[in-house]
Amino acid sequence: MIPLTIRHRTTYRYRRPVSLGPHRLMLRPRESRDVRLISSAVTVTPAATVTWAQDVFGNAVATASFQAPSDRLVIDSVAELQLDAVAWPVFNIAASAICHPLSYSDDEWTDLGALTLQHYPDPAGRLRNWARGFVSGTPTDTLALLKDLSAGVPANIRYQSRDDEGTQSPIETLNRGWGSCRDFAVLFVEAARTLGFGARLVSGYLYDPGQDRIGSPDAGTTHAWGEIFVPGAGWITFDPTNNSVGSFNLIPVAVARDIHQAMPVAGSFIGMTDAFEDLVVEVQVTAQSDDRRPGRLD
């Protein structure tokens, strides 16, 4: 097990005091067989009433409600956990799913529901045709197909960090030929859906002690990737940004149908149109023996 500490600070500055609306916070890591959460704390300045709930996907969601105007908003999250994912996972795929097209059971189709449907327009079928280019034959090996599809994203799309909000549609990413990790994840997940897979987006953190991962200028950063549901194996993690399979260095915070549902911080304010000054996000993902140096938001 790798003991990690994640520090995530989001700071909004305003030129004059503004009235802060409720802010939705998704900062608490998801526990699983690979992630054991030891502690998690969120501190908000100015003072706020913080309530917790779970969304439809089982993610922990905090809502911060404010009483007094402020010219500064700071959201501090500190989580301690143990990461216990293997570097080279072996997947016990059911016989019905070894080859693509795979067969989901009636219950699986019902429960996967919207996770099997495309959510971005593709009127000319460009994304569908791009995804089908990775199908070597009928039938074809399911896991090999998904690995090829994930590898095909960085092979065709150049990584470029973006600090602006929002996510490109898959067609925009294909047209532009570049994107951030969240654009890579959306492209991969939507492409997998065109091939009949149930797929979901994941937002969380990348632990990169060797500082050799794409999208991580330091030992850790926020990150986005995808998961595909394969009968027998369950949800299999694919990080198209780094062309990797499995969650060895990934700490999930939220899973969602679409990436906008997994934003770490979302909220509003009431004030003059020029009141907003800047936004600074600092992320540290460190092991006990690591030097603690700030990362950046991807």
Side-chain angles (χ1 to χ4, degrees), residues 27 125 133 166 186 193 223 294 297:
L27 299 166
V186 168
R193 287 169 176 166
H223 199 52
L297 179 67

Side-chain angles (χ1 to χ4, degrees), residues 54-267:
Q54 284 187 314
D55 67 8
V56 69
F57 302 104
N59 303 312
V61 182
T63 300
S65 301
F66 303 89
Q67 300 297 323
S70 178
D71 61 359
R72 190 166 178 258
L73 170 59
V74 181
I75 301 165
D76 269 313
S77 171
V78 179
E80 295 183 352
L81 55 88
Q82 290 182 326
L83 183 61
D84 191 29
V86 297
W88 306 102
V90 176
F91 303 106
N92 185 25
I93 297 175
S96 61
I98 290 176
C99 292
H100 177 269
L102 55 73
S103 297
Y104 288 128
S105 68
D106 290 344
D107 282 344
E108 287 168 340
W109 271 118
T110 299
D111 294 335
L112 288 169
L115 298 181
T116 64
L117 304 176
Q118 288 180 250
H119 295 283
Y120 292 83
D122 184 24
R126 185 181 179 196
L127 177 63
R128 181 180 65 252
N129 293 335
W130 182 80
R132 287 180 178 175
F134 296 95
V135 181
S136 60
T138 303
T140 191
D141 182 86
T142 296
L143 188 57
L145 168 59
L146 290 171
K147 287 180 177 179
D148 288 346
L149 182 63
S150 179
V153 176
N156 291 273
I157 308 299
R158 174 173 53 86
Y159 175 83
Q160 182 172 315
S161 178
R162 290 193 299 112
D163 293 328
D164 55 312
E165 295 182 357
T167 303
Q168 297 174 173
S169 73
I171 300 304
E172 287 176 322
T173 300
L174 288 175
N175 286 340
R176 294 173 179 175
W178 59 268
S180 69
C181 69
R182 58 188 184 273
D183 303 318
F184 278 39
V186 168
L187 174 59
F188 169 71
V189 163
E190 282 284 281
R193 287 169 176 166
T194 71
L195 298 176
F197 291 100
R200 64 188 185 183
L201 278 301
V202 189
S203 175
Y205 302 99
L206 170 67
Y207 175 54
D208 182 22
Q211 300 183 35
D212 57 359
R213 304 281 89 183
I214 296 175
S216 177
D218 213 311
T221 186
T222 54
H223 199 52
W225 59 95
E227 291 181 345
I228 310 296
F229 185 80
V230 179
W235 290 104
I236 299 180
T237 297
F238 292 87
D239 178 9
T241 303
N242 289 290
N243 190 18
S244 64
V245 181
S247 54
F248 174 67
N249 59 340
L250 299 171
I251 303 101
V253 170
V255 299
R257 170 178 49 82
D258 192 39
I259 197 67
H260 79 272
Q261 298 172 306
M263 293 177 62
V265 178

